[in-house]
Amino acid sequence: MDNKEVQLFKSGNSWSFRVTSKDRKELNADKDTVFEKIVDPDKKQIIFRRMDAVDPDLDEFMQEFYSEHGDLMKALEDK
């Protein structure tokens, strides 16, 4: 693991950390990559974990399932 200090900086109305080009390449990430943010309960550590892409077959199945059973899924959400 490559441990280097990074600084927080203001970017518009948000705060950001920079990722080096080397780190981006090692993560195989681009502008469309989605990350999950995990904040430690002790509030001393933030972990960003790259999320794997959804399998297109699963995504298609879920779209069809919700199209056919949307009313049932809504009823379950309301309970």
Side-chain angles (χ1 to χ4, degrees):
M1 184 179 283
D2 190 16
N3 294 327
K4 293 186 178 180
E5 289 184 9
V6 294
Q7 290 185 325
L8 193 61
F9 67 95
K10 186 89 167 130
S11 177
N13 290 330
S14 299
W15 290 89
S16 301
F17 292 105
R18 281 193 170 82
V19 174
T20 65
S21 292
K22 179 183 172 188
D23 291 338
R24 184 197 61 77
K25 288 177 186 174
E26 286 183 22
L27 290 167
N28 193 27
D30 62 22
K31 66 179 182 60
D32 297 320
T33 304
V34 177
F35 288 84
E36 174 185 20
K37 180 179 79 173
I38 303 164
V39 179
D40 244 1
D42 65 3
K43 308 291 188 224
K44 293 187 181 233
Q45 184 173 215
I46 299 173
I47 299 167
F48 290 94
R49 183 176 14 202
R50 191 186 63 177
M51 308 266 310
D52 291 328
V54 174
D55 180 341
D57 292 336
L58 176 60
D59 193 37
E60 183 179 333
F61 168 79
M62 293 303 295
Q63 292 287 343
E64 289 176 18
F65 184 86
Y66 273 87
S67 292
E68 293 175 24
H69 305 288
D71 53 340
L72 174 62
M73 298 308 293
K74 179 66 177 153
L76 290 171
E77 287 175 11
D78 293 341
K79 291 198 175 239

